[in-house]
């Protein structure tokens, strides 16, 4: 059986990662969502292993010590991270797994999991990004300016990714990402590896 | 405007390159077909510049001397080749161009045009390939054995290609190739190059 792919979907804050990711999962029901580990308490209705893997601070620190996370970060006093084990087990079953993550986190994942497919979601324009950030909430001008500065800085990190997908329309963006997944499955290296394991299996038989 | 892609579709004799290529062009009407140059005489109904660029032997040899062909070969006393100029002019208009070619020819194209996207069409199995070669015509067992030997040798050249697409079903194979084309347009290098030329244009304005 052919191993699955880790798809890392990233991009600046406000670009629409979450919307694109949930649309993709609706279109492609066999695409597994990478579940994060966190030390924050479950909210009403959240289920352990579905929304998050809920951990104590000690458990989380132990995972860090065992290098059991592809990346982690602390945010407002709580840890968040990507358990390596869940990703590995999913890939072994031949399924693809998608990880939606901010730009810095994706680069950390790349250090530990270079064979992932790194997709950068790009706003149609910086004006449009500002519009989206502004529409999101009630933040004041300073907060919006700061977010825009960060977003522009993050845009320069696109060179560490494999693909740039413009999120002009959700349907079009999803179609491009699905095409990337299909194409990556056709890369000749994967085919040659499969061929070798098939030959090995037939020689043993 | 973004430059088009040269898609090189190859694979062993009998794998179904021609059928897949014409199906692709039906599905994607903006995909330009790379027209070959040849010294053989036009057959009834063939149009210069549509089916082939018909050339005299002198004209063809002059094209070889001027390095005006991405590859060429002699077959049953006639020259056949891929004019570089036609490919380049198409790419400049932003359109993708597909070149259907046998395995050795594709490798020659790669030497002169490494930025092409090289796709190797793979038979579902060697048994199936033998079946297709056998069904094609009235060849005797020796001819079929020879073709199979060549096909197996050609399969080993897959490592020089970018993608391997299994031609199990025409529709599925076409879908994979279209996905590869879409994905290649999303490669971050292309995006960064476009971004740079957009910035240049806006600075000049």
């Amino acid at each position: 059986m052919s191993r699955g792919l880790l798809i890392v979907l990233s991009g600046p804050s406000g670009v629409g990662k979450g919307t694109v990711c949930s649309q993709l999962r609706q279109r492609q029901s066999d695409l597994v969502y990478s579940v994060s580990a966190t030390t924050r308490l479950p909210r009403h209705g959240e289920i352990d292993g579905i929304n998050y893997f809920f951990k104590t601070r000690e458990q989380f620190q132990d995972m860090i010590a065992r290098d059991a996370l592809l990346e982690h970060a602390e945010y407002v006093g709580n840890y968040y991270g990507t358990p390596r084990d869940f990703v590995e087990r999913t890939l072994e079953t031949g399924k693809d797994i998608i990880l939606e993550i901010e730009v810095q986190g994706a680069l950390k994942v790349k250090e530990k999991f270079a064979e992932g497919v790194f997709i950068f979601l790009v706003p149609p324009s910086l004006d449009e990004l500002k519009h989206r950030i502004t529409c999101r909430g009630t933040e004041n001008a300073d907060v919006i300016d700061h977010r825009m500065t960060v977003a522009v800085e993050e845009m320069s990190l696109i060179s560490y990714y494999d693909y740039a997908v413009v999120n002009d329309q959700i349907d079009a963006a999803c179609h491009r990402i699905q095409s990337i997944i299909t194409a990556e499955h056709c890369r000749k290296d994967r085919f040659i590896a499969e061929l070798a394991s098939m030959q090995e299996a037939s020689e043993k038989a």
Side-chain angles (χ1 to χ4, degrees), chain A residues 12-193:
Chain A
S13 159
V15 76
K17 293 187 287 293
T19 318
V20 168
C21 187
S22 67
Q23 181 78 246
L24 266 176
R25 289 167 64 201
Q26 276 180 31
R27 283 167 165 243
Q28 207 168 324
S29 58
D30 56 345
L31 186 62
V32 176
Y33 180 72
S34 169
V35 178
S36 296
T38 184
T39 56
R40 86 152 163 73
L41 294 175
R43 289 181 193 143
H44 183 72
E46 284 184 341
I47 300 164
D48 186 50
I50 301 288
N51 304 94
Y52 284 97
F53 294 108
F54 294 102
K55 302 285 175 189
T56 64
R57 225 171 151 78
E58 292 67 38
Q59 286 172 326
F60 202 102
Q61 281 164 342
D62 179 57
M63 289 176 87
I64 298 173
R66 285 187 292 111
D67 196 25
L69 297 163
L70 290 181
E71 57 77 39
H72 70 277
E74 206 164 353
Y75 180 71
V76 206
N78 283 307
Y79 281 125
Y80 294 83
T82 304
R84 184 199 292 267
D85 189 43
F86 183 74
V87 170
E88 285 286 359
R89 275 186 291 125
T90 305
L91 299 181
E92 286 304 322
T93 66
K95 284 190 180 163
D96 299 329
I97 185 165
I98 190 161
L99 169 62
E100 178 212 331
I101 190 167
E102 35 68 53
V103 173
Q104 301 290 346
L107 297 187
K108 288 189 200 160
V109 172
K110 200 181 171 188
E111 282 171 25
K112 299 202 179 181
F113 210 95
E115 68 269 39
V117 178
F118 292 80
I119 302 176
F120 197 97
L121 207 58
V122 178
S125 70
L126 288 180
D127 283 350
E128 176 59 27
L129 186 67
K130 187 164 185 176
H131 177 71
R132 290 183 195 177
I133 288 175
T134 313
C135 287
R136 243 191 186 184
T138 54
E139 285 91 352
N140 63 35
D142 280 357
V143 173
I144 290 169
D145 280 354
H146 174 70
R147 286 206 178 155
M148 280 303 292
T149 309
V150 171
V152 169
E153 279 171 16
E154 286 178 337
M155 284 289 288
S156 71
L157 298 174
I158 202 168
S159 56
Y160 295 98
Y161 287 74
D162 301 308
Y163 296 97
V165 167
V166 178
N167 187 19
D168 43 3
Q169 292 199 318
I170 283 200
D171 275 350
C174 286
H175 171 72
R176 289 176 198 126
I177 294 170
Q178 288 184 296
S179 296
I180 289 169
I181 296 173
T182 301
E184 284 286 331
H185 276 286
C186 294
R187 293 199 78 84
K188 66 100 190 290
D189 294 334
R190 291 180 66 85
F191 180 80
I192 292 171

Side-chain angles (χ1 to χ4, degrees), chain A residues 197-205:
Chain A
S197 73
M198 268 161 58
Q199 280 169 345
E200 216 170 87
S202 86
E203 276 162 20
K204 276 184 191 161

